[in-house]
Amino acid sequence: MTRAYAQDFTTKELIAAFIAHQVRDGERVAVGAGLHVPRAGILLAHLLYCPNVRLYIVMTFTNLLKEPRMEPFYTVTDFRPAKWAEAYVLHDDFQENPRLVSNMFVVGALQIDPYGNSNLIGVGRDYHRLSFRGPGAVGTTSMAHYVDRYYLYVQSHDRRIFVEKCDFISTIGWGEGGPDGRRRLGLPDNGPIYCITPLCIMDFEPRTKRMRLKSVHPGVTVDDVVRNTGFELIIPDVVPETEPPTVEELRVLRERIDVEGMLRT
Amino acid sequence: MVVERRSLIIDEREAASWIRDGMTIAIGGFINSSHPMAIVRQIIRRGVRDLTVIGPASGGLDLDLLIGAGCVRKLVTAYMGGEHYCPVAPMFRAAVERGELQVWECDEGMYYCALRAAAQRLPFTPWKAGIGTSFPDVNPEIKVFTDPIKGEPLLAVPAIRPDIALIYAAHADPYGNVQHIGTGFGDRALWRAADRTIVQVERIIPNEEVRKNPLATSLYGVDAIVRAPYGSHPFAAPGYYIEDAAHLREYVAAATAYAKHGDRGPFEAYLRKYVLEPETHADYLEVIGIKRLISLHEY
């Protein structure tokens, strides 16, 4: 069966559809408030493909399959969407209750190195003399450790973000690389799967665990990606275009999830 | 002799007088919601200094205000920002970049480890997440050790015990039975870890009301209750009001003038108008104005 692909969509909508394809039915998935694109992608997966996903949304657990459309909300503490709640998340239960851990998770970053190690602490060689103090790790260190799969996601793609070496590491990726980079650190093998940017999708080459270009978004060239990445990327012989959203995905995104059009700007 | 049960109700001025220079205090809520602001503003008015402040797992602009006002020496939290209002809290950013504020660097998991160890009266909680990261380097109080059972590396996250936890909740009776609306975020962890707890509430409810649904009692045996309607303003209060977006933008603009351009004037003006000049919480509410306050309904 050929899929009916949409013709006219934004990069944010493209990325939301890509993220939607990473969710599996029956999983627990945290829906952040601040990252609109991953949030839209997870909700898209839920409404179209994963009716049994248990959403962790504004400190509640719920299922939104029968909601005609999502009310807009901007903060993780906005209690208005909590009208959907089936259960409250007691945030301090994290250590005690594995049901608070998502199966898949999206991690943002100020810096990312070739092995997918990432930094939300700050920028600067000396921790006591930071040139830019970041927001902090939030829950990314622990969540990325316990989830089955995690994805790196950044809202711009440039040489300040993609660096040879992070000034600090707040979430470990594939460590120093190699097939057993994480096992050498005593960690399970659940490093980042993909790194998702406004230019492209990257994965990690299995032997070296170095970042490798997987696909470029429509209108982006391989050279655009290389020029904006501060380390040597593995470039396969053939780099396809990122799969576009389907007509149906775009319709559900626009009519039920992103009613305000934040992904269209 | 008639014996009466003792009321624990005090006002925000007495509550803030419990906080002394150099103490370790915890402040509950989560980013843009549920902070005991009547007490926080009174702490600033009293000019308390050198506090170690344990924020929520993810901290917000309530802590940023305390930092800007010069009350904080050391901060324990895993995030400092205002979500879409500002990606990084401005006075926090300025203080760290100028070397004026120590940060006890952690993520939310490690943060709860520290409170859990305090509640359990243990020296530390073992934690796996964070191995291979910079946390043990930038926070030397977090140590890597070898698990004596499996021989694998683990983090030892030391206990942090608040002298006093300051928590915001919807309701309490006069005897220290507290009922949150909504999840209560990580407030229970602060209450369990702290020596003493003061809870600021929107409304005092009768003890009979508590007994109608004891399952709703989220904290009990706390040390004092402060009644402060609209007391989380400018932040949200589940079941009562949403955050005051215009006020938060005003704060962010004032604080950003300092963080980005070194101009402390707008922040000082904010501090004078909203914190130093109003003598009490009631005076603060008059400055904000009744029209603004009642516009912050849910929908």
Side-chain angles (χ1 to χ4, degrees):
Chain A
M1 193 182 92
T2 52
R3 311 182 76 181
Y5 287 117
Q7 296 297 319
D8 191 18
F9 51 85
T10 66
T11 300
K12 287 175 184 169
E13 290 171 327
L14 171 84
I15 294 172
F18 181 85
I19 288 173
H21 299 156
Q22 311 309 316
V23 184
R24 298 172 195 169
D25 196 20
E27 292 191 323
R28 293 179 300 269
V29 186
V31 186
L35 296 176
H36 300 291
V37 175
R39 165 172 133 189
I42 289 162
L43 292 173
L44 180 62
H46 176 45
L47 297 184
L48 277 182
Y49 311 121
C50 306
N52 302 294
V53 149
R54 181 165 293 269
L55 298 168
Y56 175 161
I57 187 165
V58 295
M59 299 276 175
T60 73
F61 279 114
T62 196
N63 181 301
L64 297 178
L65 198 61
K66 300 295 180 193
E67 279 296 317
R69 64 186 192 100
M70 305 299 128
E71 299 288 340
F73 66 99
Y74 303 101
T75 71
V76 291
T77 57
D78 188 337
F79 57 88
R80 291 172 296 178
K83 70 181 179 195
W84 294 321
E86 293 179 345
Y88 285 134
V89 170
L90 303 187
H91 198 248
D92 52 296
D93 252 3
F94 189 81
Q95 270 103 346
E96 326 291 335
N97 191 346
R99 285 170 188 80
L100 260 65
V101 176
S102 296
N103 295 96
M104 64 92 76
F105 192 62
V106 178
V107 174
L110 302 169
Q111 292 178 322
I112 299 173
D113 79 9
Y115 303 105
N117 303 300
S118 62
N119 171 17
L120 278 167
I121 294 172
V123 176
R125 292 274 175 257
D126 178 357
Y127 177 71
H128 300 286
R129 290 281 177 276
L130 293 175
S131 55
F132 174 72
R133 169 67 220 199
V138 208
T140 58
T141 315
S142 294
M143 201 62 130
H145 179 82
Y146 288 102
V147 293
D148 302 330
R149 308 179 309 284
Y150 87 85
Y151 303 85
L152 292 161
Y153 167 78
V154 288
Q155 299 182 69
S156 53
H157 187 139
D158 59 48
R159 287 169 171 262
R160 285 183 311 167
I161 293 176
F162 291 96
V163 293
E164 199 61 63
K165 193 172 183 306
C166 294
D167 292 333
F168 309 96
I169 294 173
S170 53
T171 296
I172 190 81
W174 294 103
E176 292 178 11
D180 58 349
R182 285 178 64 95
R183 270 169 281 154
R184 272 184 282 131
L185 292 167
L187 296 171
D189 252 347
N190 55 343
I193 307 286
Y194 298 130
C195 180
I196 302 161
T197 87
L199 298 184
C200 63
I201 310 289
M202 295 170 283
D203 64 2
F204 295 86
E205 191 276 318
R207 199 176 43 82
T208 59
K209 298 292 188 208
R210 271 188 80 95
M211 214 178 278
R212 174 176 70 181
L213 190 56
K214 175 178 154 61
S215 68
V216 289
H217 303 335
V220 177
T221 66
V222 171
D223 189 52
D224 292 333
V225 175
V226 168
R227 215 177 40 245
N228 286 290
T229 304
F231 53 78
E232 198 180 327
L233 263 179
I234 299 176
I235 310 288
D237 293 338
V238 180
V239 179
E241 228 176 52
T242 309
E243 186 182 10
T246 64
V247 172
E248 176 72 349
E249 285 168 347
L250 199 64
R251 188 185 64 75
V252 171
L253 261 182
R254 290 182 176 181
E255 291 178 8
R256 293 183 66 190
I257 297 170
D258 180 36
V259 180
E260 285 176 296
M262 296 181 80
L263 271 53
R264 274 165 271 168
T265 56
Chain B
M1 192 178 104
V2 180
V3 183
E4 290 291 343
R5 195 173 182 185
R6 186 165 58 93
S7 165
L8 300 173
I9 301 171
I10 61 176
D11 68 15
E12 77 272 11
R13 284 175 292 190
E14 187 177 346
S17 76
W18 292 21
I19 316 297
R20 300 188 189 285
D21 291 358
M23 270 189 172
T24 296
I25 66 165
I27 300 177
F30 208 82
I31 315 183
N32 283 307
S33 185
S34 307
H35 303 304
M37 291 308 293
I39 304 174
V40 167
R41 282 184 286 263
Q42 185 61 22
I43 290 170
I44 296 172
R45 278 179 212 119
R46 293 186 62 243
V48 180
R49 290 288 176 268
D50 295 324
L51 293 173
T52 293
V53 174
I54 305 168
S58 278
L61 299 174
D62 56 321
L63 307 179
D64 200 57
L65 178 66
L66 271 174
I67 292 164
C71 305
V72 187
R73 186 177 56 85
K74 184 174 169 184
L75 181 69
V76 181
T77 185
Y79 166 88
M80 269 300 281
E83 299 193 71
H84 67 301
Y85 296 104
C86 59
V88 184
M91 300 311 279
F92 160 77
R93 182 185 161 190
V96 173
E97 290 173 4
R98 287 162 173 77
E100 295 162 359
L101 177 71
Q102 292 177 43
V103 178
W104 198 88
E105 199 76 49
C106 59
D107 97 315
E108 288 176 343
M110 298 166 209
Y111 163 92
Y112 285 121
C113 286
L115 294 172
R116 185 183 197 242
Q120 295 184 321
R121 303 293 187 259
L122 286 172
F124 68 90
T125 301
W127 197 239
K128 185 77 178 179
I131 291 292
T133 69
S134 302
F135 285 100
D137 304 325
V138 298
N139 183 348
E141 290 185 27
I142 295 177
K143 314 276 188 200
V144 180
F145 75 109
T146 303
D147 165 10
I149 309 291
K150 287 190 170 172
E152 291 180 351
L154 287 176
L155 299 182
V157 184
I160 300 184
R161 188 166 166 177
D163 295 311
I164 299 179
L166 304 173
I167 285 170
Y168 172 90
H171 308 144
D173 73 3
Y175 311 117
N177 297 302
V178 177
Q179 300 191 334
H180 281 76
I181 293 178
T183 89
F185 309 111
D187 287 353
R188 292 169 188 80
L190 296 174
W191 166 62
R192 287 192 293 261
D195 287 348
R196 288 185 292 170
T197 300
I198 303 175
V199 182
Q200 184 200 296
V201 295
E202 208 62 34
R203 222 156 49 78
I204 306 278
I205 57 173
N207 179 253
E208 289 83 350
E209 195 70 23
V210 169
R211 292 182 189 230
K212 279 204 303 207
N213 184 13
L215 200 56
T217 300
S218 44
L219 316 176
Y220 49 86
V222 306
D223 299 271
I225 302 293
V226 173
R227 178 183 154 275
Y230 286 104
S232 181
H233 184 273
F235 305 100
Y240 279 96
Y241 43 92
I242 56 172
E243 77 266 17
D244 186 339
H247 188 103
L248 290 177
R249 289 197 188 93
E250 182 183 341
Y251 173 83
V252 168
T256 302
Y258 179 60
K260 287 215 173 131
H261 313 293
D263 175 10
R264 229 187 122 82
F267 180 82
E268 291 293 342
Y270 177 95
L271 206 57
R272 269 197 312 278
K273 180 176 177 190
Y274 294 113
V275 182
L276 300 176
E277 286 173 359
E279 285 180 26
T280 64
H281 178 59
D283 295 328
Y284 169 80
L285 295 183
E286 288 210 341
V287 173
I288 300 302
I290 190 72
K291 284 183 184 167
R292 172 70 69 83
L293 290 171
I294 63 176
S295 75
L296 303 172
H297 49 67
E298 277 189 50
Y299 291 100

